[in-house]
Amino acid sequence: MGAGKDGRPVRDNYMKKNFSLDKLKNISSVKNDLTVLRHMWFGSKKGDDHAARLESFYGPQAAAYDAFRSRFLWGRKPMLAACAARLADRSNMIWVDLGGGTGENVDMMAQYIDLSSFKAIYVVDLCHSLCEVAKRKAKAKGWKNVHVVEGDACQFAPPEGAATLVTFSYSLTMIPPFHSVIDQAISYLSPEGLVGVADFYVSGKYDLPMRQMTWSRRFFWRSIFDIDNIDIGPERRAYLEQKLERVWEQNSQGSIPYVPWLRAPYYVWIGRHPTVGHALHEERVERPPLFPPTFLYTQSWEDPEPDMEVMEINSNDTVLTLTSGGCNALNLLVQGAGQVVSVDCNPAQSALLELKKIAIQQLEFEDVWQMFGEGVHPRIEELYEKKLAPFLSQTSHNFWSRRLWYFQHGLYYQGGMGKLCWVLQCLAAVMGLGKVVKRLVNAPTLDEQRRIWDSNFIIHFVKHGPKLLVWLFVKFVSLMLFNKAVLWFGGGVPGKQYALIKADGIPIELYIARTFDGVAESSHVRKQNYFYYNCLTGKFLRDNCPTYLRESGFAALKGGIVDNLTVSTNFFMDELKARIYTKVILMDHVDWLDLHTAQSLAEMLARQVAPGGIVIWRSASLSPPYAELIRKAGFDVRCIRRADQGYMDRVNMYSSFYMARRKGKKD
């Protein structure tokens, strides 16, 4: 390291100089922000027409406009990302940005799509000062295909005659004749074109569920924005939806610079010319009481192999299943089911399956493998912003936008069961069993796995130790790890299911021991049992994973059949009423119900399952009392397997597995 004339290292002088420059930049930035705020809050809007009023408002703040708005207009990036994601495969496009101001949207769009994909980009604005900034920016950036048009958006039309994309980025609320500008934009929108809107809003008194606000919020925000001649009422979006078909939308809120606590509501909306179908609005859903604020299961905890042996899956099937981790719903499609409806009352489980579905549709296999095979992805934030978020429902986006860190810390250590697995791994390490677990999950053969399991000192002690000491040890472990709270929040075992286990006369500790011992003795974890390999390592292996994570299964799903999956956040009975099914997978759902509700479910199955259709379920009970109710409702009921007769399946967590066929002839 060299030294300056004063004997101090050159590096010290360089750092001091840089610090001073940064300090000056920060001071300049605050000064510019205050200039913008002064004109926003106290500036007058003078002029005889709209153009003059815009100039009086924006002219003095034009130079500082972009830096301030980047921390205020939160809907711009998701709107541009959503449009770009839907235009990714097109070229030679025409884009018209109405009320485009300084052209900042063009600069942002370059993050999501190559600007050379556009034959021409028109930035149209009525404010002279903002247009001058846009022209200088286009020249500095070398944008040869960008044309800045100072003029009225209500009268502009692209010379080419049609536009692939028309955007309103926080501009529609500032255009008084909004009917005219929307009509004009639609007049030159190409048949396959998109309209993208990002803006502030308040809901109507009776609006769609995901938009709805209280009267106080509606009054407050509409009054605040009205001061700046900005009308954020619901009329503009209502008119858009009268003229166009909604493809996608998000409703959210964002912070305001130098204004603590307050968060301004904004929306992003993508529309197109109406088609034969109809875009349904999304219902507002809340997690049920006593559910954690996240999912219970990161993967499906029922072995699909025995299911496929009895389900007779074919392309004519419409299958209803519980969601859980979603792996088995995707497996049904790979196995050839025509339509699969996956339902869960926990919106977090739906968010997990929806993310898997969108990832399969939008990403390549290696990215999907890192996300859901390894459970970790180093570029998750970039992928989420550009590829995933633009297609997620609002409920799922609200869930995942705050939990992307799951894919940084390990997806399979999150959620109820994930946390339980993490705790058990920590306990194993503290008890000196870390190396044993590692040897167990990497045992090259089932025989070697059995030897490791049986020779472990804890297992040996439980099987052959003094009865009193064994009893005390088992009761202590049961009290700490298998109490009702841990079983529910960690394993998803509710009180009614716990009662079924006790009714069979099996202490919970013996029930758990039977589960694990059966897996260790009968199922090769390293090669065959991805359920427990995942629990013990926090990831899957490429040759030991759910079907959708195998390259062949992924390719089949990405080829289009994943589109046949409907993810519903609803109660099972309500979704059962919605259509006729040929196959229904109850999982262990009926274990959670009282007998009166189980009776209603059996009667509904009789009405909604087609003659010859198949219903399957698992139970923590050896002889679940509701099996007779389903039989009386008109089904031939058969017990396929029972835990007291030996090993059940790779999960081995249930006491019985049943199949019921609806009586009557098939159509």
Side-chain angles (χ1 to χ4, degrees):
M1 175 68 71
K5 293 180 180 179
D6 58 358
R8 294 179 180 177
V10 173
R11 179 181 174 185
D12 289 352
N13 293 332
Y14 176 78
M15 291 179 67
K16 284 185 176 181
K17 184 178 180 181
N18 273 1
F19 176 78
S20 299
L21 288 174
D22 289 341
K23 191 173 181 180
L24 287 172
K25 287 180 181 178
N26 290 334
I27 293 173
S28 176
S29 176
V30 172
K31 182 180 177 182
N32 288 337
D33 287 349
L34 293 176
T35 298
V36 174
L37 286 170
R38 178 168 61 85
H39 286 282
M40 284 178 61
W41 292 343
F42 307 111
S44 59
K45 293 82 180 174
K46 300 177 180 178
D48 296 329
D49 57 23
H50 190 50
R53 288 190 290 272
L54 286 174
E55 183 62 32
S56 70
F57 181 63
Y58 284 116
Q61 53 174 301
Y65 182 91
D66 289 338
F68 183 85
R69 260 60 177 194
S70 67
R71 291 169 289 135
F72 184 32
L73 308 183
W74 297 106
R76 290 193 299 182
K77 281 192 171 184
M79 184 268 285
L80 295 171
C83 291
R86 289 165 172 80
L87 299 173
D89 297 329
R90 303 194 203 180
S91 60
N92 209 34
M93 296 182 289
I94 305 296
W95 173 21
V96 178
D97 190 23
L98 297 173
T102 63
E104 186 68 6
N105 288 338
V106 180
D107 205 15
M108 286 185 176
M109 181 64 98
Q111 302 174 32
Y112 305 108
I113 193 170
D114 190 339
L115 294 181
S116 65
S117 300
F118 295 99
K119 179 181 178 181
I121 301 172
Y122 295 95
V123 178
V124 183
D125 205 284
L126 201 54
C127 179
H128 173 75
S129 295
L130 296 183
C131 286
E132 289 301 307
V133 173
K135 289 175 183 177
R136 292 194 295 270
K137 186 179 296 181
K139 184 177 180 180
K141 297 280 186 178
W143 295 334
K144 303 298 183 182
N145 58 344
V146 175
H147 311 284
V148 180
V149 179
E150 184 179 334
D152 190 346
C154 297
Q155 300 174 9
F156 175 81
E160 293 81 1
T164 317
L165 174 64
V166 179
T167 54
F168 294 90
S169 177
Y170 291 89
S171 58
L172 192 55
T173 51
M174 300 190 70
I175 301 175
F178 67 89
H179 298 92
S180 297
V181 74
I182 291 172
D183 289 344
Q184 178 69 3
I186 292 173
S187 72
Y188 56 77
L189 183 67
S190 68
E192 301 299 323
L194 296 176
V195 172
V197 183
D199 221 321
F200 300 109
Y201 84 101
V202 294
S203 70
K205 185 174 182 179
Y206 304 106
D207 215 324
L208 297 183
M210 300 304 289
R211 304 173 183 172
Q212 195 64 59
M213 296 178 178
T214 62
W215 72 267
S216 57
R217 289 193 74 205
R218 296 198 305 270
F219 175 80
F220 174 79
W221 285 113
R222 193 161 193 176
S223 302
I224 290 295
F225 279 96
D226 187 71
I227 297 172
D228 289 331
N229 290 338
I230 300 174
D231 186 355
I232 64 171
E235 299 82 11
R236 284 162 169 78
R237 186 156 40 164
Y239 190 66
L240 279 167
E241 296 191 333
Q242 182 181 344
K243 294 290 186 175
L244 297 169
E245 175 184 279
R246 179 174 6 100
V247 175
W248 181 82
E249 77 169 68
Q250 294 284 343
N251 300 277
S252 190
Q253 53 186 355
S255 59
I256 307 170
Y258 306 102
V259 182
W261 302 301
L262 283 181
R263 297 173 66 80
Y266 70 87
Y267 74 95
V268 177
W269 188 93
I270 309 295
R272 65 187 174 200
H273 286 295
T275 59
V276 176
H278 179 66
L280 299 176
H281 67 268
E282 183 182 354
E283 295 290 344
R284 187 187 297 272
V285 293
E286 304 290 344
R287 63 185 175 91
L290 299 181
F291 270 69
T294 186
F295 36 72
L296 287 171
Y297 315 101
T298 48
Q299 60 167 312
S300 293
W301 270 95
E302 296 202 0
D303 190 347
E305 286 188 356
D307 297 1
M308 295 306 101
E309 292 174 4
V310 300
M311 290 279 292
E312 303 171 9
I313 293 295
N314 62 79
S315 60
N316 295 320
D317 278 330
T318 299
V319 186
L320 176 63
T321 182
L322 273 298
T323 296
S324 185
C327 313
N328 289 1
L330 295 168
N331 177 68
L332 286 165
L333 292 169
V334 176
Q335 299 301 325
Q339 297 287 331
V340 175
V341 179
S342 190
V343 61
D344 205 294
C345 63
N346 184 356
Q349 297 294 163
S350 297
L352 177 60
L353 178 53
E354 188 179 337
L355 186 69
K356 291 178 179 180
K357 176 181 177 179
I358 299 300
I360 290 168
Q361 291 173 326
Q362 301 300 322
L363 304 180
E364 298 303 318
F365 175 74
E366 287 302 322
D367 285 320
V368 173
W369 172 258
Q370 287 186 63
M371 286 180 64
F372 300 109
E374 300 288 343
V376 176
H377 201 300
R379 295 186 298 108
I380 185 59
E381 292 182 352
E382 176 190 354
L383 288 179
Y384 185 79
E385 180 186 13
K386 296 181 178 180
K387 300 287 188 179
L388 302 173
F391 298 95
L392 285 173
S393 68
Q394 183 170 330
T395 300
S396 294
H397 173 67
N398 291 345
F399 178 85
W400 285 113
S401 61
R402 298 189 292 267
R403 293 176 175 83
L404 292 181
W405 59 271
Y406 280 12
F407 293 97
Q408 296 164 342
H409 296 183
L411 173 66
Y412 296 107
Y413 293 125
Q414 313 308 324
M417 185 161 283
K419 291 300 183 186
L420 178 61
C421 291
W422 180 80
V423 169
L424 291 175
Q425 288 185 31
C426 291
L427 284 175
V430 169
M431 296 173 66
L433 298 175
K435 292 182 179 179
V436 174
V437 171
K438 188 173 182 180
R439 288 169 53 213
L440 191 71
V441 298
N442 291 301
T445 64
L446 178 57
D447 286 340
E448 177 64 13
Q449 176 181 294
R450 288 169 178 159
R451 189 191 66 77
I452 295 169
W453 175 259
D454 291 333
S455 63
N456 177 259
F457 72 91
I458 291 181
I459 302 301
H460 183 81
F461 171 75
V462 170
K463 288 185 175 182
H464 307 291
K467 290 185 177 181
L468 178 61
L469 291 179
V470 170
W471 183 86
L472 289 172
F473 173 77
V474 169
K475 287 299 179 184
F476 173 76
V477 172
S478 177
L479 179 65
M480 295 298 295
L481 297 179
F482 305 135
N483 58 73
K484 289 185 178 181
V486 172
L487 287 173
W488 168 235
F489 290 107
V493 179
K496 289 185 176 66
Q497 193 168 50
Y498 185 86
L500 287 176
I501 296 172
K502 292 184 67 176
D504 281 338
I506 305 174
I508 189 64
E509 60 270 16
L510 294 183
Y511 187 96
I512 299 295
R514 182 188 71 190
T515 296
F516 293 157
D517 194 58
V519 169
E521 296 289 352
S522 305
S523 175
H524 188 194
V525 173
R526 169 60 183 81
K527 288 293 185 180
Q528 300 171 331
N529 198 322
Y530 62 78
F531 302 96
Y532 287 93
Y533 187 91
N534 178 275
C535 282
L536 295 171
T537 65
K539 63 182 181 179
F540 292 112
L541 293 172
R542 291 185 187 249
D543 61 348
N544 190 18
C545 59
T547 310
Y548 78 98
L549 288 174
R550 294 181 179 271
E551 289 195 60
S552 58
F554 172 84
L557 289 164
K558 194 174 184 65
I561 62 175
V562 75
D563 300 339
N564 298 329
L565 173 66
T566 298
V567 183
S568 173
T569 304
N570 202 350
F571 289 101
F572 187 85
M573 191 85 80
D574 293 335
E575 205 62 43
L576 180 60
K577 295 175 184 177
R579 59 187 68 80
I580 299 298
Y581 298 93
T582 57
K583 308 287 166 61
V584 175
I585 301 176
L586 294 171
M587 293 190 176
D588 64 339
H589 173 63
V590 197
D591 277 7
W592 297 38
L593 309 177
D594 57 53
L595 283 180
H596 176 73
T597 308
Q599 175 68 48
S600 299
L601 175 61
E603 293 169 358
M604 187 60 62
L605 286 169
R607 289 197 291 269
Q608 299 302 117
V609 176
I614 293 173
V615 179
I616 65 170
W617 69 89
R618 287 175 172 82
S619 176
S621 171
L622 290 168
S623 301
Y626 51 82
E628 182 64 14
L629 300 178
I630 295 175
R631 185 189 67 79
K632 289 181 178 179
F635 290 82
D636 289 323
V637 176
R638 179 162 61 98
C639 181
I640 306 298
R641 299 181 186 180
R642 279 170 53 117
D644 58 354
Q645 298 170 354
Y647 172 68
M648 290 285 292
D649 54 36
R650 291 177 295 177
V651 172
N652 205 43
M653 196 171 285
Y654 297 98
S655 292
S656 59
F657 174 38
Y658 279 79
M659 184 194 86
R661 189 183 295 273
R662 178 77 169 87
K663 294 179 181 179
K665 294 182 179 180
K666 297 181 181 179
D667 293 337

